Amino acid sequence: MWPRVPGIDYTYQPEDQCDGIAELTFETESDRQAFFQSSDPLIADEHNLFNKAVGYNTNYGNSQTFIDGIPTGEPNGKVDGLKFHVMVKKADDVNLAAFCQYLTGYFTPTILQSDAVLKFRLHLFDEIDNSRPNITGVSHLEPLEKQYQAAFEIAFENPLKMEAFFASPEYAAAFKDLAKYVKQILPLLERSAYTFVYNGKLTLAGQWSYNVADLIVKVGATNQLKLDIVSLMNGKEAVKPRLGHYLQGVQHIGVTVQDMEKSLEFYTEVLGGKIVVVENNLMGDAMQNTLFQKEELDALAQGVDLKSFGIPSLRDAKEALDIKFISFGNTCIELIYFRDAATQNPHNSSVARIPSHIGHVNAMHLSFHVKDDVDLNVFANMLEDECQIRGIKNVVCNRVIRVKSEEERRKVALKYNYSKFWQEPDSLNADRQPEEDFGELEGWALFYCKGPNGEQLEFNQATRTVKQHFANAQKEYNMANNTHFAVLNSQYSQQIEI
């Protein structure tokens, strides 16, 4: 099936034919070493399957997928289309650096110009470590003259596409000088592929074996996916779900300030931060509920006045909230300033000062950035449910409408779990003016809750207009301070350099 190129050796001994390849990928070198140090059970079992097992290693960046149009990244069974794993041995009179440069600088880019290629992945190998001893019946050694220095995976949708590639000018150009750099190639046609770990997690095949996994998929046995069943079959205690994959890190730290003008001067002019967003005169029922519902419910339960709890009066517009976000490249600070609504005094906050030493655990708030494609309403419920399962009973999320008891809070409709700064039908903002009325904060969304120690937490999303403001301020900070912080595209979890 694979056309012969003049000057290339295609002969091999039967014992050199590969019957299968296991590809293992590790995030770090320490992970790889940890695997090898715990692999004794695998090695002890090798003689039941293999007579030879040779390990090729690649350093970081030396295994790269350039194109992949295969629909599923975790196959389990017969390979769709035609896919080859081609082992490549360098020519004797070419040094390794020139060989690698040819593959990466000319051979691969030329192949990628063909529309017929469905997938192309290149591996550049290290020299085999022959220090690993043989075990009974299984050889781990590979003489230098038999070692390959590279391999590439290439796939086609069907035989017609494959033949079109072999007849194409791209193929002719890519392979015309192959014999100058390559001594021997060994094309191996893949019959089937099985994925046991994908994106760091066990697949169905990894949990059950590929035959059972295939049966589960074909009959639609969703009951076999339940957490208690999986845990029982794997002989492990049920792992409680985690919410980390919904987040993209800490977005900002909030500081309630006594003097807004002096604070702004310190964080921008002294420390060099860049202003992201300025918003003044925030007040009203929804804002009061978003920020202080938990404290108001506690005050009602104890029968005490709200002022004794130190709660500002945003609901009746006696006090107002001014905020300023300041970017420091890799994170932001939010300056929070409560004042008398009737004045614009930037030097004297309307709320009491607390001691600034670390003995007060809830003097600031910590805000986590939730990915753009996550529904904050649903996430708030997931957070509370997860904490309840773990016995963390005091993690409670504020709602955006007023309630008079904890029971009433729990019964609030899902759509009132978070506050949003944009116009949307069937929400508290439905009667607002067009979106420009939200100003620089258009696209901001948040909910507040308490952490396990009473610390104030916020979970936010920055989309639309406000997202661009954060990106612009970060770019300005990078330029002013010669830093290179990257904007995270939260929807696709990849970095975009600015």
Side-chain angles (χ1 to χ4, degrees):
M1 298 176 67
W2 193 270
R4 293 181 178 268
V5 176
I8 301 296
D9 182 10
Y10 293 88
T11 62
Y12 56 88
Q13 298 299 318
E15 63 267 21
D16 296 328
Q17 167 72 42
C18 295
D19 297 307
I21 297 173
E23 183 176 311
L24 295 86
T25 304
F26 304 95
E27 186 173 12
T28 65
E29 176 61 28
S30 60
D31 288 345
R32 179 163 67 172
Q33 293 303 323
F35 169 80
F36 286 131
Q37 291 169 9
S38 61
S39 61
D40 287 348
L42 288 176
I43 295 174
D45 191 51
E46 281 187 338
H47 72 277
N48 293 317
L49 298 171
F50 313 134
N51 59 34
K52 188 173 186 177
V54 177
Y56 283 91
N57 291 324
T58 67
N59 278 322
Y60 181 80
N62 283 347
S63 284
Q64 187 172 352
T65 302
F66 294 89
I67 182 173
D68 189 355
I70 297 176
T72 175
E74 46 181 313
N76 183 42
K78 185 178 181 295
V79 172
D80 293 328
L82 294 167
K83 185 179 178 186
F84 295 87
H85 195 104
V86 184
M87 306 295 290
V88 184
K89 189 179 298 182
K90 77 174 186 67
D92 293 336
D93 56 350
V94 173
N95 63 47
L96 186 60
F99 170 79
C100 293
Q101 177 59 37
Y102 166 74
L103 290 178
T104 57
Y106 178 77
F107 181 78
T108 296
T110 307
I111 285 180
L112 295 180
Q113 294 177 24
S114 172
D115 294 335
V117 176
L118 185 64
K119 177 178 180 178
F120 190 86
R121 178 168 167 81
L122 178 66
H123 308 273
L124 301 177
F125 297 141
D126 300 339
E127 185 176 324
I128 292 177
D129 180 8
N130 279 327
S131 64
R132 191 163 65 122
N134 295 333
I135 60 174
T136 304
V138 182
S139 172
H140 292 152
L141 303 180
E142 188 74 308
L144 185 60
E145 65 273 12
K146 288 191 174 185
Q147 293 183 21
Y148 295 95
Q149 288 72 45
F152 63 87
E153 301 171 47
I154 188 167
F156 308 96
E157 185 177 356
N158 52 50
L160 183 63
K161 289 284 189 180
M162 182 185 70
E163 293 300 334
F165 170 72
F166 288 141
S168 69
E170 291 84 8
Y171 169 80
F175 282 77
K176 70 174 182 177
D177 293 327
L178 191 70
K180 294 180 181 179
Y181 299 91
V182 174
K183 176 182 180 179
Q184 184 181 35
I185 66 172
L186 175 59
L188 303 165
L189 178 63
E190 292 189 15
R191 299 187 304 271
S192 53
Y194 307 94
T195 310
F196 300 96
V197 178
Y198 189 67
N199 283 341
K201 297 179 180 179
L202 286 173
T203 63
L204 275 179
Q207 294 173 3
W208 299 90
S209 80
Y210 71 87
N211 281 327
V212 177
D214 184 59
L215 181 62
I216 290 173
V217 172
K218 287 181 177 177
V219 303
T222 55
N223 64 314
Q224 299 301 304
L225 306 181
K226 294 180 179 179
L227 186 61
D228 54 346
I229 299 294
V230 173
S231 302
L232 177 65
M233 297 302 296
N234 289 337
K236 296 180 179 179
E237 181 183 355
V239 178
K240 296 174 181 177
R242 298 175 181 174
L243 304 183
H245 61 286
Y246 293 105
L247 304 178
Q248 49 183 343
V250 174
Q251 200 268 347
H252 71 264
I253 298 172
V255 184
T256 301
V257 301
Q258 180 71 28
D259 187 321
M260 175 60 92
E261 190 171 285
K262 287 296 183 184
S263 298
L264 186 63
E265 179 182 0
F266 174 77
Y267 285 108
T268 58
E269 298 183 23
V270 177
L271 296 185
K274 301 300 178 181
I275 294 178
V276 179
V277 168
V278 173
E279 193 72 21
N280 298 321
N281 297 310
L282 294 171
M283 60 184 76
D285 194 64
M287 186 58 60
Q288 183 84 20
N289 297 327
T290 297
L291 301 182
F292 302 112
Q293 187 170 80
K294 174 66 166 59
E295 289 77 10
E296 288 191 341
L297 290 177
D298 289 344
L300 286 172
Q302 297 175 32
V304 299
D305 183 70
L306 295 181
K307 273 297 181 183
S308 66
F309 268 55
I311 301 174
S313 299
L314 300 178
R315 176 176 287 111
D316 55 13
K318 291 181 179 179
E319 292 174 275
L321 169 64
D322 298 341
I323 61 172
K324 291 178 172 62
F325 283 96
I326 301 171
S327 174
F328 285 89
N330 60 339
T331 192
C332 294
I333 288 178
E334 179 190 13
L335 302 182
I336 300 170
Y337 182 68
F338 294 97
R339 59 173 173 80
D340 189 309
T343 67
Q344 293 291 335
N345 185 355
H347 297 291
N348 188 19
S349 175
S350 62
V351 296
R353 179 191 298 270
I354 64 173
S356 60
H357 60 74
I358 61 172
H360 292 262
V361 299
N362 56 355
M364 297 184 180
H365 81 264
L366 188 63
S367 183
F368 290 91
H369 201 180
V370 181
K371 293 178 181 178
D372 293 358
D373 56 355
V374 175
D375 188 327
L376 269 187
N377 286 318
V378 176
F379 181 81
N381 283 356
M382 291 172 62
L383 177 64
E384 288 189 353
D385 292 344
E386 172 71 7
C387 291
Q388 289 293 318
I389 291 173
R390 295 174 181 271
I392 307 173
K393 304 294 185 180
N394 52 341
V395 174
V396 176
C397 302
N398 292 349
R399 308 302 189 228
V400 299
I401 61 174
R402 192 173 187 179
V403 296
K404 296 183 178 181
S405 68
E406 172 60 21
E407 181 181 2
E408 188 177 340
R409 186 198 70 86
R410 289 197 297 267
K411 294 180 179 179
V412 168
L414 182 70
K415 64 183 179 181
Y416 297 126
N417 278 3
Y418 76 95
S419 183
K420 63 192 71 172
F421 286 75
W422 65 84
Q423 195 175 41
E424 188 172 276
D426 196 28
S427 74
L428 293 181
N429 297 326
D431 297 329
R432 289 286 297 265
Q433 296 301 311
E435 291 185 348
E436 55 264 23
D437 191 49
F438 293 95
E440 295 180 335
L441 275 182
E442 193 266 324
W444 186 255
L446 75 150
F447 68 83
Y448 263 39
C449 75
K450 297 298 184 184
N453 304 294
E455 63 268 33
Q456 186 65 65
L457 302 181
E458 174 187 342
F459 293 84
N460 74 70
Q461 289 174 328
T463 61
R464 308 185 188 199
T465 301
V466 75
K467 183 174 186 176
Q468 190 59 51
H469 285 309
F470 277 104
N472 292 341
Q474 186 181 52
K475 183 176 182 179
E476 185 179 352
Y477 183 89
N478 282 337
M479 295 176 63
N481 297 283
N482 195 29
T483 53
H484 303 282
F485 297 114
V487 175
L488 186 68
N489 182 342
S490 61
Q491 186 172 2
Y492 301 104
S493 299
Q494 66 185 22
Q495 287 193 326
I496 302 175
E497 293 292 332
I498 59 173

